[in-house]
């Protein structure tokens, strides 16, 4: 079944925040932000800006009736800066105007004096200065001290990975409406309606029940709207609260890129020790996480990085340390993978460096050390229902893994101007929010008297197809046509205390809650049917739009069944709740079972490099990915393809360049490149592992959103492999993205 959203999207019928212009008194909010990366605000002159025609008023932190604070985990972030600014693009003033043009004109006329303070953009420098969010954390297992002595080979190195702009199609935005009794209703492009509600409550100094947040759908998010949709919603709410008029704020593309956080850049040290046969005995790493100016979700992201430090490998002795460093860059935030891609890049780099020193193929080391069922991970959890080896073996048997490397050797012997390379990328990704508390969800299901069904959950649709999956769950429990089910907006008044739709868990958690609510209703309806058909409830099944008595074959149409339930005064609404069982994590010992289960798979990526120009193409990719029993394979295929390409973009062409002043010099769509149609014009073969039901998620399925992203890391090493064929003597570098410029410099190295 296709995603029902696609048709609306293509016809332009889908409604996003910026499409809403319903009231004549709508006011536009334009944000004035810091022009420097670090400094003390000395003076602001608004006189000229206030005289611009159409400007209604300009708000600063003194207009905030509640607390000027939006930090969700660590309370370190002001909504509107008071005295100090810590990154270029930090909001200082909110201009409220009759048009966007008037607001933008006013921005140009604001005179601000800022006394500059030293700018730090390098996390290692920040570490030396002691600018840390929290003390460092270390995860360890085995005895790394002793294990080094048993190694035949020990290799050390550095791996750098760059940030990544989310580049969702719909930029950040929100509209807030004043409602009676001093409340506000907020439409927001957020992954986390409750986060918006909670923060607005704090900003306005009113209770959460005075604030309703409603979300129809997002034009993409990728983590960028998990925490960072909130400030724009809070500013719109502040404006609406003060003016008693609706206020809309929608960022332009350039504002969005420059004002909001991205994927965290990591700078890491690694050390790996192996036996001569390739067996990894010990691994150590230190991650310097570039957090930007505010904590945002950084500490949670670092935790997920630490939890994925060994990717898909069993290593008996491990010690990994993570350090969250404040810098004067935009506050880096959630992005698909949430720290795991950064950590996996480091171990994969370590394996490449060891392979080169040992003169063996990286894939030999990779395969030899793959996790097996029941192996223990450094944080104490054991793998279960797990078979990474199977995905690797399928790459060999079905996608000619070994022959591919042979053919590449032949190609490279025959060609001097073009070189090919390949890499295998196994991925093991833990499913559940690492903060166990967040693994909960609610659903509210109504059946109306005509038999039509309405489903509300805490899940936010952002193009990933979660609504379609939830609809399928309801349709399957009731066994009715999906066309008679509607998925409602995500609304804090209907489903309260929602966790963000994040961590790949939207369908898992909200789907389970929906399933429970529907089962409750189905049981009530079966009882009604038993009464109508003079039977027992055990004999009744719901099937193909009917309630059927298995014994007699007598049946009742769904619509008649619902009408009869109503006439008997049976409750046709159900609220249900789901909390993932048996997960916990002890932060003192850094041990536990943080994940409900793991998703795994392997990718083979092949690249071709032009050794005169340094340009390259990804020519082929084959992916074997574990879906368990998919609810919707079309949607899941889209997630796997999209994740892989997005991961490739992070590793290759997407380059965030900040200068020493903390200015983003790739801050628009002409200088920041995402993979385009030509880039992605390669063969991508995808094979799903679907033979086993997953006992830990709805209808036997598995989460799919984030894990495929990390297959893209294979792209880096495939290109590097091609480069090494052209310049075998050059020392390996692990510094992503591997742009064509960097590729060319590698080729020129002696
Ligand atoms: N968000 C979050 C996430 O708050 N906790 C997580 O563990 C997580 N993991 C992936 C993506 N977003
Ligand atoms: Mo996310 S990185 O919002 O799952």
């Amino acid at each position: 079944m296709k995603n029902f959203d696609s048709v609306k999207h293509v016809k332009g019928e889908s409604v996003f925040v910026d499409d809403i212009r319903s009231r004549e008194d709508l006011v536009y909010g334009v944000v004035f932000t810091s022009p420097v990366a670090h400094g003390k605000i000395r003076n602001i002159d608004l006189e000229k800006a206030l005289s611009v025609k159409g400007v209604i008023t300009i708000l600063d932190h003194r207009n905030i009736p509640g607390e000027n604070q939006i930090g969700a985990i660590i309370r370190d972030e002001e909504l509107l800066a008071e005295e100090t600014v810590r990154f270029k693009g930090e909001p200082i003033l909110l201009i409220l105007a009759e048009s966007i043009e008037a607001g933008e004109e006013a921005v140009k006329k604001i005179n601000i004096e800022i006394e500059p303070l030293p700018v730090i953009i390098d996390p290692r420098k920040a570490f030396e200065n002691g600018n840390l969010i929290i003390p460092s954390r270390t995860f360890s297992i085995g005895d790394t001290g002793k294990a080094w002595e048993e190694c035949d080979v020990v290799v050390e190195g550095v791996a750098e990975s760059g940030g990544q702009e989310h580049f969702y199609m719909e930029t950040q935005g929100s509209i807030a409406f004043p409602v009676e009794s001093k409340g506000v209703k907020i439409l927001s492009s957020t992954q986390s309606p409750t986060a918006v509600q909670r923060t607005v409550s704090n900003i306005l100094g009113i209770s959460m029940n005075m604030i309703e947040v409603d979300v129809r759908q997002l034009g993409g998010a990728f983590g960028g709207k998990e925490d960072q949709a909130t400030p724009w919603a809070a500013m719109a709410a502040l404006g609406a609260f003060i003016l008693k008029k609706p206020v809309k704020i929608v960022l332009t593309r350039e504002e969005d890129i420059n004002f909001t956080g991205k994927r965290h850049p990591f700078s890491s040290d690694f050390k790996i020790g192996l036996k001569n046969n390739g067996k990894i005995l010990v691994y150590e790493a230190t991650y310097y996480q570039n957090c930007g100016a505010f904590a945002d979700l950084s500490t949670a992201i670092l935790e997920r990085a630490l939890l994925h430090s060994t990717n898909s490998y069993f290593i008996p002795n491990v010690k990994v340390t993570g350090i969250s460093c404040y810098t004067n860059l935009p506050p880096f935030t959630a992005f698909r993978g949430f720290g795991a891609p950064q950590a996996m890049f480091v171990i994969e780099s370590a394996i490449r460096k060891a392979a080169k020193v040992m003169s063996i193929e990286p894939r030999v080391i990779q395969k030899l050390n793959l996790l097996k069922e029941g192996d223990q991970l450094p944080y104490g959890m054991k793998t279960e229902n797990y078979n990474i080896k199977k995905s690797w073996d399928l790459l060999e048997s079905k996608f000619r893994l070994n022959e591919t490397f042979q053919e590449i050797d032949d190609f490279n012997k025959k060609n001097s101007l073009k070189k090919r390379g390949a890499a295998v990328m196994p991925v093991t990704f833990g499913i559940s929010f690492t903060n166990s508390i967040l693994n909960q969800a609610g659903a509210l299901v109504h059946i109306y008297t005509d038999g039509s069904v309405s489903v509300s959950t805490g899940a936010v649709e952002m193009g990933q197809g979660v609504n379609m999956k939830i609809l399928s769950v309801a349709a399957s429990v009731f066994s009715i046509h999906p066309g008679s089910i509607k998925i409602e907006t995500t609304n804090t008044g209907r489903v309260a205390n929602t966790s963000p739709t994040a961590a790949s868990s939207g369908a898992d958690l909200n789907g389970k809650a929906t399933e429970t609510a529907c089962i409750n209703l189905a049981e009530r309806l079966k009882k009604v049917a038993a009464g109508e058909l003079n039977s027992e409830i055990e004999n009744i099944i719901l099937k193909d739009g009917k309630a059927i008595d298995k014994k007699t074959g007598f049946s009742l149409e769904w619509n008649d069944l619902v009408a009869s339930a109503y006439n008997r005064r049976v409750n046709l609404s159900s609220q249900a709740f789901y909390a993932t069982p048996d997960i916990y994590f002890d932060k003192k010992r850094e041990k536990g079972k943080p994940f409900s289960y793991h998703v795994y798979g392997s990718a083979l990526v092949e690249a071709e490099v032009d050794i005169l120009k340094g340009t390259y193409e990804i020519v082929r990719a084959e992916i074997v990915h574990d879906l368990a029993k998919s609810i919707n394979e079309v949607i899941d295929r889209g997630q796997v393809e999209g994740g892989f390409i997005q991961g490739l973009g992070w590793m290759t062409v997407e380059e965030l360049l900040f200068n020493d002043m903390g200015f983003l010099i790739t801050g628009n769509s002409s200088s920041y490149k995402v993979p385009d149609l030509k880039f992605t014009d390669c063969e991508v073969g995808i094979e799903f592992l679907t033979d086993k039901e997953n006992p830990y998620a709805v209808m036997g399925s598995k989460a799919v959103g984030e894990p495929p992203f990390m297959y893209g890391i294979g792209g880096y090493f495939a290109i590097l492999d091609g480069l090494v064929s052209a310049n075998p003597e050059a020392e390996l570098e692990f510094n992503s993205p591997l742009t064509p410029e960097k590729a060319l410099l590698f080729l020129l190295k002696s």
Side-chain angles (χ1 to χ4, degrees):
M1 203 162 26
K2 279 198 191 132
N3 188 346
F4 63 84
D5 274 348
S6 340
V7 176
K8 292 187 297 152
H9 289 347
V10 171
K11 286 186 175 172
E13 288 168 1
S14 307
V15 176
F16 300 89
V17 168
D18 199 27
D19 297 320
I20 298 163
R21 293 188 169 75
S22 54
R23 278 171 55 168
E24 278 181 11
D25 58 349
L26 183 63
V27 171
Y28 294 86
V30 177
V31 184
F32 176 81
T33 66
S34 174
V36 299
H38 196 194
K40 280 240 180 298
I41 301 173
R42 287 299 175 213
N43 189 41
I44 304 180
D45 176 3
L46 295 181
E47 202 183 318
K48 282 196 192 127
L50 280 169
S51 67
V52 171
K53 191 163 171 288
V55 169
I56 300 165
T57 185
I58 300 179
L59 306 180
D60 67 22
H61 67 92
R62 292 167 300 185
N63 299 101
I64 292 172
E67 190 194 359
N68 181 22
Q69 181 51 241
I70 61 170
I73 300 179
I74 287 161
R75 307 187 63 71
D76 65 351
E77 186 170 1
E78 294 160 350
L79 177 66
L80 296 172
E82 296 186 9
E83 289 170 4
T84 307
V85 283
R86 293 184 171 81
F87 76 94
K88 183 177 184 286
E90 179 176 348
I92 301 174
L93 303 167
L94 175 63
I95 297 152
L96 296 169
E98 286 161 11
S99 69
I100 296 173
E101 292 74 17
E104 287 177 344
E105 190 57 30
V107 163
K108 289 186 212 148
K109 301 228 154 114
I110 288 169
N111 272 319
I112 189 162
E113 284 168 39
I114 299 183
E115 182 187 322
L117 290 170
V119 172
I120 294 183
I121 65 166
D122 175 358
R124 292 182 190 249
K125 259 216 189 98
F127 171 69
E128 281 165 23
N129 286 6
N131 301 345
L132 305 187
I133 297 178
I134 53 166
S136 68
R137 287 176 73 178
T138 297
F139 285 25
S140 62
I141 195 166
D143 182 348
T144 49
K146 222 171 73 200
W148 294 115
E149 293 158 24
E150 292 160 29
C151 298
D152 298 322
V153 181
V154 174
V155 172
E156 289 179 67
V158 175
E160 309 274 348
S161 61
Q164 185 178 26
E165 163 61 27
H166 299 86
F167 228 96
Y168 26 65
M169 284 208 199
E170 180 204 18
T171 55
Q172 304 275 7
S174 174
I175 304 186
F177 300 89
V179 294
E180 63 176 53
S181 314
K182 292 198 168 169
V184 280
K185 173 167 180 173
I186 301 165
L187 310 183
S188 165
S189 178
T190 180
Q191 289 172 250
S192 188
T194 294
V196 168
Q197 184 190 24
R198 194 184 293 122
T199 299
V200 170
S201 152
N202 192 46
I203 291 289
L204 298 185
I206 60 178
S207 53
M208 284 173 77
N209 61 358
M210 303 303 293
I211 300 151
E212 176 190 350
V213 181
D214 191 81
V215 182
R216 168 78 272 172
Q217 64 206 329
L218 278 49
F222 309 113
K225 299 169 181 174
E226 182 173 339
D227 208 39
Q228 298 209 4
T230 301
W232 322 107
M235 286 181 221
L238 176 67
F241 192 74
I242 287 174
L243 292 185
K244 299 277 169 278
K245 286 181 181 177
V247 171
K248 172 156 135 180
I249 300 177
V250 175
L251 299 188
T252 64
R253 175 65 59 190
E254 210 155 335
E255 288 173 334
D256 194 303
I257 296 186
N258 284 282
F259 300 173
T260 69
K262 302 127 201 340
R263 179 185 300 283
H264 291 77
F266 271 48
S267 178
S268 309
D269 298 325
F270 61 78
K271 184 173 169 192
I272 191 168
L274 308 88
K275 284 300 219 188
N276 274 333
N277 66 357
K279 193 87 198 149
I280 304 172
L281 284 190
V282 47
Y283 176 65
E284 285 188 10
T286 303
Y287 310 129
Y288 297 88
Q289 180 193 29
N290 191 338
C291 297
F294 302 109
D296 192 88
L297 296 166
S298 296
T299 51
I301 290 162
L302 184 78
E303 182 170 66
R304 186 171 280 276
L306 290 166
L307 290 164
H308 289 81
S309 62
T310 54
N311 186 11
S312 305
Y313 309 109
F314 175 70
I315 306 178
N317 306 287
V318 177
K319 186 171 156 201
V320 285
T321 298
I323 306 169
S324 296
C325 311
Y326 278 125
T327 60
N328 298 112
L329 296 179
F332 293 106
T333 191
F335 196 142
R336 203 174 195 171
F338 209 73
Q342 289 95 321
M344 289 187 192
F345 180 68
V346 181
I347 180 107
E348 294 299 327
S349 297
I351 290 174
R352 268 31 180 227
K353 190 149 185 181
K356 181 150 194 241
V357 169
M358 298 167 76
S359 294
I360 58 178
E361 294 292 331
R363 68 180 193 280
V364 173
I365 299 179
Q366 289 177 298
K367 188 177 169 185
L368 184 68
N369 292 283
L370 286 177
L371 283 160
K372 289 188 291 294
E373 174 79 359
D375 274 346
Q376 193 172 41
L377 291 147
Y379 48 92
M381 183 174 170
K382 289 184 176 160
T383 56
E384 189 191 335
N385 284 327
Y386 179 88
N387 200 350
I388 188 89
K389 181 80 174 10
K390 182 168 178 182
S391 66
W392 186 291
D393 289 345
L394 259 173
L395 281 182
E396 290 187 351
S397 61
K398 208 161 171 163
F399 295 117
R400 307 171 44 257
L401 187 149
N402 294 313
E403 294 85 339
T404 299
F405 282 90
Q406 192 54 54
E407 286 159 17
I408 286 174
D409 278 348
D410 296 344
F411 179 95
N412 289 344
K413 279 191 194 109
K414 285 192 213 118
N415 291 276
S416 54
L417 297 182
K418 296 252 162 127
K419 294 289 178 191
R420 288 201 168 179
V424 191
M425 182 66 198
V427 171
T428 297
F429 192 82
I431 301 299
S432 290
F433 286 94
T434 62
N435 177 5
S436 301
I437 295 166
L438 293 176
N439 296 288
Q440 53 172 304
L444 176 64
V445 179
H446 301 310
I447 306 177
Y448 294 102
T449 52
D450 65 352
S452 64
V453 175
S454 146
V455 180
S456 298
T457 73
V460 169
E461 175 62 48
M462 56 192 98
Q464 86 282 42
V466 71
N467 280 357
M468 186 68 205
K469 288 189 175 178
I470 286 171
L471 189 147
S472 303
V473 170
S476 140
V477 176
F478 293 142
S479 195
I480 59 175
H481 190 272
S484 49
I485 302 170
K486 180 182 169 215
I487 305 295
E488 303 288 351
T489 60
T490 315
N491 186 297
T492 53
R494 265 178 276 115
V495 177
N497 310 325
T498 59
S499 291
T501 300
S504 307
S505 67
D508 277 23
L509 300 174
N510 295 281
K512 270 283 191 192
T514 302
E515 186 181 43
T516 306
C518 293
I519 289 172
N520 293 343
L521 287 163
E523 287 307 305
R524 289 179 214 155
L525 288 172
K526 282 184 196 170
K527 196 169 160 204
V528 170
E532 292 284 330
L533 297 170
N534 283 323
S535 179
E536 305 295 323
I537 186 166
E538 300 79 41
N539 298 334
I540 305 291
I541 53 163
L542 298 179
K543 190 149 198 307
D544 300 335
K546 290 189 181 66
I548 303 171
D549 182 339
K550 283 185 291 185
K551 280 224 172 103
T552 62
F554 290 146
S555 69
L556 207 83
E557 292 291 328
W558 170 263
N559 290 7
D560 297 334
L561 173 61
V562 169
S564 161
Y566 175 74
N567 291 337
R568 289 168 183 249
R569 296 190 289 175
V570 169
N571 180 2
L572 286 171
S573 297
S574 175
Q575 190 273 345
F577 179 77
Y578 179 73
T580 311
D582 304 327
I583 47 172
Y584 63 95
F585 197 71
D586 176 351
K587 284 201 185 185
K588 282 212 186 77
R589 294 170 48 240
E590 305 287 23
K591 296 272 188 250
K593 183 179 180 286
F595 301 123
S596 179
Y597 60 93
H598 288 94
V599 171
Y600 55 86
S602 299
L604 167 65
V605 187
E606 202 181 331
E608 185 174 297
V609 186
D610 180 318
I611 70 148
L612 293 182
K613 292 191 284 193
T615 54
Y616 48 72
E617 272 175 68
I618 303 296
V619 290
R620 179 180 157 229
E622 311 287 0
I623 296 170
V624 180
H625 182 84
D626 158 46
L627 283 186
K629 291 282 174 235
S630 174
I631 295 176
N632 188 314
E633 256 196 55
V634 178
I635 286 174
D636 288 351
R637 183 170 294 271
Q639 288 296 301
V640 173
E641 286 178 358
F644 168 60
I645 298 295
Q646 195 168 36
L648 268 185
W650 172 53
M651 284 280 107
T652 58
V653 292
E654 296 188 39
E655 190 171 36
L656 286 173
L657 281 175
F658 293 95
N659 69 15
D660 291 344
M661 311 273 287
F663 288 26
L664 178 59
I665 54 179
T666 51
N668 57 44
S669 50
S670 65
S671 52
Y672 185 83
K673 287 297 175 193
V674 292
D676 59 10
L677 267 180
K678 180 166 182 305
F679 188 90
T680 57
D681 184 20
C682 63
E683 286 173 56
V684 180
I686 299 176
E687 178 82 13
F688 291 128
L689 300 178
T690 55
D691 52 324
K692 259 203 215 142
E693 282 198 11
N694 174 24
Y696 303 113
V698 63
M699 291 168 73
S701 68
K702 277 199 173 185
V704 71
E706 294 171 287
F709 180 92
M710 284 146 278
Y711 297 137
I713 296 171
Y716 184 99
F717 294 105
I719 295 166
L720 185 63
D721 188 45
L723 292 171
V724 167
S725 291
N727 190 1
E729 300 308 318
E731 199 184 328
L732 293 185
E733 276 175 39
F734 310 103
N735 185 346
S736 75
L738 182 43
T739 57
E741 288 93 328
K742 285 192 205 154
L744 187 60
L745 288 173
F746 183 90
L747 291 167
L748 297 174
K749 271 209 308 197
S750 49

